[in-house]
Amino acid sequence: MSQAKMHIYQAVGSPNSRRVRIFIAEKGIDIPTINLDLGTKQQFSDTYKAINPRSVVPTLVLDDGTAIGEVPAICRYLEEIYPEPVLFGSSSKEKTLVMMWERRMEQEGFAAVMDAVRNSLAGLKGRALTGPYDYDQIPALVDRSKQRIINFHTDLDKRLTEAPFAAGEQFSIADITAMTTIDFAKRALNLDFDKKHKAIKRWYDIVEARPSSSM
Amino acid sequence: MSQAKMHIYQAVGSPNSRRVRIFIAEKGIDIPTINLDLGTKQQFSDTYKAINPRSVVPTLVLDDGTAIGEVPAICRYLEEIYPEPVLFGSSSKEKTLVMMWERRMEQEGFAAVMDAVRNSLAGLKGRALTGPYDYDQIPALVDRSKQRIINFHTDLDKRLTEAPFAAGEQFSIADITAMTTIDFAKRALNLDFDKKHKAIKRWYDIVEARPSSSM
């Protein structure tokens, strides 16, 4: 494996890459980046497959060549080696709540947007799931996923009436996942949260004002 | 909120509950348990909804009444307060690799079994996803999910030719998720790994021999 310093493979238009880009910006660190062009399917090259057999972005490659996939795992590693500012919570209880809420944002929100997009875009025919295997699109999954996103907006609004940020009192990785989800649904599906969701609006204006949101 | 000591809500037939039961058994700890009867829909009672608004099991309730949902978050909390034996890795790198592999076992394996089951069982009509919202079953998702499980078996076998356990040299939470996935697919879908998967067989015999597997 490479003897190079830690670096990251990512793609400009990839929402999963964006989650990591925002996380890195919040940490105020600089990690050498290699951009893959998903349009020309660079993620399926033999070179990249040797790094990430699932052929997905992003991948963090450590100093010793170990390749780390999966966004929460990548961010967790960065939190371990760059503890400040804290984005995964401080106490045992806070850490657990951040993990729970980040996961809910992802499973209820982000994953639903991904399903709606991948099962509908003409360019992703036969590629309904990321990864090394081909799966046909399922049109019924598009409608169900859009309904899930609407329900996610409702749940997120309720949550943000209880706490200033997704996981509680502090900005955390859960907010990064939630914001990325909101923007992804708006951009790819033209599906924005409703005007009645005043708590989302209040929170969104705050997180969007952070410099990291431009990542 | 309750002033009781830490306790857990779970259900006997729930594979997500089993993941936590095995984790607790591996830790050698004893946590007071309240069993919910999913058959009579106890998870949708107002009492339980007040504890877990998503109406899913398991939920860990801390000494101060804080309710923790989501299996990886529950297990993470238990790892924080009962560090031995280590089930999430020791060094920063190990921790990250455990998180990555546990997630892959869940997203590629466990979630696919769950999709195949919930979109096919007559008793789950209109309940294709766990949580507070009703979603119709999508028959096409059953076939796709079964294919995903077969691909998961292939990938897991390959992984277990590279390392003795799912996340590397040591038994970890990734093995708990992988074993639960294998057993869940076998029990609910009659879909076992193939005889040619000799690496899975070697690993499965070891993890199944641990006392925790009877949980």
Side-chain angles (χ1 to χ4, degrees):
Chain A
M1 302 296 278
S2 162
Q3 295 298 310
K5 276 202 181 293
M6 186 166 77
H7 55 286
I8 193 158
Y9 289 85
Q10 67 109 40
V12 175
S14 144
N16 270 315
S17 296
R18 186 176 180 227
R19 292 164 71 186
V20 174
R21 288 198 301 270
I22 295 174
F23 192 90
I24 289 171
E26 287 286 341
K27 286 287 180 189
I29 54 180
D30 189 31
I31 301 177
T33 297
I34 296 150
N35 287 314
L36 295 186
D37 182 352
L38 307 186
T40 58
K41 302 193 187 301
Q42 284 188 330
Q43 74 272 33
F44 296 109
S45 70
D46 289 342
T47 315
Y48 189 64
K49 262 188 206 163
I51 295 162
N52 187 326
R54 298 202 67 250
S55 292
V56 296
V57 284
T59 305
L60 180 71
V61 182
L62 309 188
D63 289 353
D64 71 356
T66 304
I68 307 294
E70 308 295 325
V71 173
I74 291 170
C75 293
R76 181 92 204 181
Y77 183 80
L78 296 175
E79 180 92 354
E80 288 268 343
I81 57 169
Y82 302 106
E84 302 288 339
V86 173
L87 293 171
F88 270 90
S90 297
S91 68
S92 294
K93 190 169 106 176
E94 271 175 31
K95 283 180 194 171
T96 307
L97 287 169
V98 167
M99 198 165 168
M100 176 180 91
W101 284 109
E102 197 276 331
R103 186 175 156 91
R104 285 187 181 164
M105 298 302 125
E106 184 185 57
Q107 299 290 305
E108 308 305 312
F110 192 89
V113 184
M114 193 61 93
D115 265 350
V117 170
R118 294 199 72 98
N119 285 280
S120 61
L121 280 196
L124 291 170
K125 214 170 165 179
R127 292 289 310 153
L129 292 168
T130 57
Y133 300 105
D134 292 335
Y135 297 100
D136 286 339
Q137 292 175 331
I138 298 177
L141 205 42
V142 181
D143 292 337
R144 186 167 96 179
S145 300
K146 285 184 177 171
Q147 185 56 51
R148 290 185 69 199
I149 298 163
I150 292 167
N151 293 337
F152 168 74
H153 288 154
T154 301
D155 292 347
L156 179 60
D157 192 65
K158 183 167 181 299
R159 169 58 185 162
L160 292 168
T161 60
E162 301 163 355
F165 292 103
E169 298 300 314
Q170 307 294 331
F171 179 87
S172 77
I173 188 173
D175 298 292
I176 296 175
T177 304
M179 181 179 65
T180 308
T181 300
I182 296 277
D183 290 347
F184 185 20
K186 192 156 51 178
R187 174 172 66 82
L189 303 166
N190 200 26
L191 192 52
D192 202 357
F193 61 88
D194 197 280
K195 281 189 171 37
K196 74 184 173 199
H197 295 323
K198 292 190 166 47
I200 298 185
K201 180 73 169 75
R202 186 260 311 148
W203 161 87
Y204 186 81
D205 287 347
I206 290 168
V207 293
E208 198 205 13
R210 300 172 79 95
S212 65
S213 77
S214 67
M215 290 291 118
Chain B
M1 302 297 277
S2 161
Q3 294 297 311
K5 276 203 182 293
M6 186 167 76
H7 54 286
I8 194 157
Y9 289 86
Q10 66 110 39
V12 175
S14 144
N16 269 315
S17 296
R18 185 176 180 227
R19 293 163 71 186
V20 174
R21 287 198 302 271
I22 294 173
F23 192 90
I24 289 171
E26 287 286 340
K27 286 287 179 189
I29 53 179
D30 189 30
I31 301 176
T33 297
I34 298 151
N35 287 314
L36 294 187
D37 182 352
L38 306 186
T40 59
K41 300 190 188 302
Q42 283 187 329
Q43 75 273 35
F44 295 109
S45 71
D46 290 342
T47 315
Y48 189 64
K49 262 187 205 163
I51 295 162
N52 187 327
R54 299 202 67 249
S55 293
V56 295
V57 284
T59 305
L60 180 71
V61 182
L62 310 187
D63 290 352
D64 71 357
T66 304
I68 307 295
E70 308 296 325
V71 172
I74 290 170
C75 293
R76 183 90 203 185
Y77 184 81
L78 296 175
E79 181 91 355
E80 287 269 343
I81 58 170
Y82 302 106
E84 301 288 339
V86 173
L87 293 171
F88 271 89
S90 297
S91 68
S92 294
K93 189 169 104 175
E94 269 175 32
K95 283 181 195 172
T96 307
L97 287 169
V98 168
M99 197 164 167
M100 176 181 91
W101 283 108
E102 198 276 331
R103 185 176 158 93
R104 285 187 180 164
M105 298 301 126
E106 184 185 58
Q107 299 290 305
E108 307 304 312
F110 192 89
V113 184
M114 192 62 92
D115 265 351
V117 170
R118 294 200 70 100
N119 284 280
S120 61
L121 280 196
L124 291 170
K125 215 171 166 178
R127 291 290 310 152
L129 292 168
T130 56
Y133 299 105
D134 292 336
Y135 297 100
D136 286 340
Q137 292 175 331
I138 298 177
L141 205 43
V142 181
D143 291 336
R144 186 168 95 179
S145 301
K146 286 184 177 171
Q147 186 56 52
R148 290 185 69 199
I149 298 163
I150 291 167
N151 293 338
F152 168 74
H153 288 153
T154 301
D155 292 347
L156 179 60
D157 192 65
K158 183 168 182 298
R159 170 60 187 161
L160 291 169
T161 60
E162 301 163 354
F165 292 102
E169 298 301 315
Q170 306 294 330
F171 179 87
S172 77
I173 185 172
D175 298 292
I176 297 176
T177 304
M179 181 179 65
T180 309
T181 300
I182 297 278
D183 289 348
F184 184 21
K186 192 158 48 178
R187 173 172 65 81
L189 303 166
N190 200 27
L191 192 53
D192 202 356
F193 61 88
D194 196 279
K195 281 189 170 40
K196 74 184 172 197
H197 294 324
K198 291 190 165 49
I200 299 185
K201 179 75 167 75
R202 186 261 311 148
W203 161 87
Y204 187 82
D205 287 347
I206 291 169
V207 293
E208 198 205 13
R210 300 172 80 95
S212 65
S213 78
S214 67
M215 291 290 118

